[in-house]
Amino acid sequence: MEKDPNLRYSAEEALNDPWVTNNIGAKEFDKPLAMTALDNLKKFRAGRKMQEATWLFLVSYLASREEKQMLLKTFEALDLNHDGQLSRDELIEGY
């Protein structure tokens, strides 16, 4: 892989690469598998993952030890079924 964007393949060059032209073509493909992969891509929520990563960073690096303990106690009090996630209902009930 080339880190310098100016030296990377263009999309057209990549599509014309011998590896692609030899391995991808008019071959049959597994349509159910392709549909499953497409459905999985539709369901993936990159924005939510980024939000979770941001919160994790903020809590891990910017909060003091006391603040982390307070956040953990608050989370545990709100997490009524102890599954490690807060549902909408748990947030409403805790509010």
Side-chain angles (χ1 to χ4, degrees), residues 48-90:
R48 182 174 175 169
K49 294 288 183 186
M50 183 63 175
Q51 184 180 23
E52 289 172 7
T54 302
W55 281 113
L56 182 60
F57 171 80
L58 290 172
V59 171
S60 297
Y61 293 101
L62 301 179
S64 69
R65 185 178 194 163
E66 293 79 21
E67 289 170 323
K68 288 179 191 176
Q69 288 174 343
M70 183 187 70
L71 286 170
L72 181 60
K73 285 181 183 179
T74 303
F75 178 86
E76 289 172 342
L78 291 171
D79 185 19
L80 301 175
N81 63 358
H82 308 290
D83 67 350
Q85 296 181 342
L86 297 178
S87 68
R88 181 178 183 268
D89 292 336
E90 288 172 327

